[in-house]
Amino acid sequence: MAPGPGAKELTVAKPEQIKDPHLRAEIERARDQMRSGDGTAAVHTLADAFLYMLRKKPEMLEVGVPARFGQVPMVMRWPNLGANLNRESVLAKTPAIEFIRDHFAVSEAITYYEFTLETAVAQGL
């Protein structure tokens, strides 16, 4: 069924859309790690890729989104499934991800993958 008038067509972000060669390679590496069943390695790769994006485009730390109690930095939407973006580090403009777990399932890695990929494409990286 075709979308109605005025409806936006949904598109899925793809690694090929990432312009930065280093970032694209890291996203592709994480995808390969997930395909081989290593969710833990993929989450670590994606955490590094996300921090790389924040260093490359630090203005991402400034973009606010509505939250229950005011505005929060957009980057705080990073999934907190055990590789958690430290809020204080974001506010201090020195973002850090804390690993509170040693192992991650591929399904959890997919959540981090989709967030990182979609953010990279949306930010024009």
Side-chain angles (χ1 to χ4, degrees), residues 30-45:
R31 182 189 58 203
D32 293 342
Q33 291 165 329
M34 288 185 298
R35 286 181 175 166
S36 70
D38 195 346
T40 301
V43 170
H44 282 270
T45 299

Side-chain angles (χ1 to χ4, degrees), residues 4-20:
K8 292 184 180 181
E9 184 177 328
L10 295 176
T11 59
V12 177
K14 296 176 178 47
E16 303 80 49
Q17 294 173 278
I18 299 174
K19 298 170 189 163
D20 182 285

Side-chain angles (χ1 to χ4, degrees), residues 54 61 73 75-76 85-96:
L54 296 177
L61 296 169
V75 298
M76 292 309 297
L85 187 60
N86 179 283
R87 182 171 169 39
E88 290 75 28
S89 73
V90 170
L91 296 175
K93 309 292 187 259
T94 57

Side-chain angles (χ1 to χ4, degrees), residues 30-66:
R31 182 189 58 203
D32 293 342
Q33 291 165 329
M34 288 185 298
R35 286 181 175 166
S36 70
D38 195 346
T40 301
V43 170
H44 282 270
T45 299
L46 293 162
D48 290 343
F50 189 66
L51 292 174
Y52 171 82
M53 289 178 7
L54 296 177
R55 287 190 302 273
K56 186 160 177 85
K57 198 166 182 178
E59 60 269 20
M60 288 172 57
L61 296 169
E62 303 293 330
V63 178
V65 294

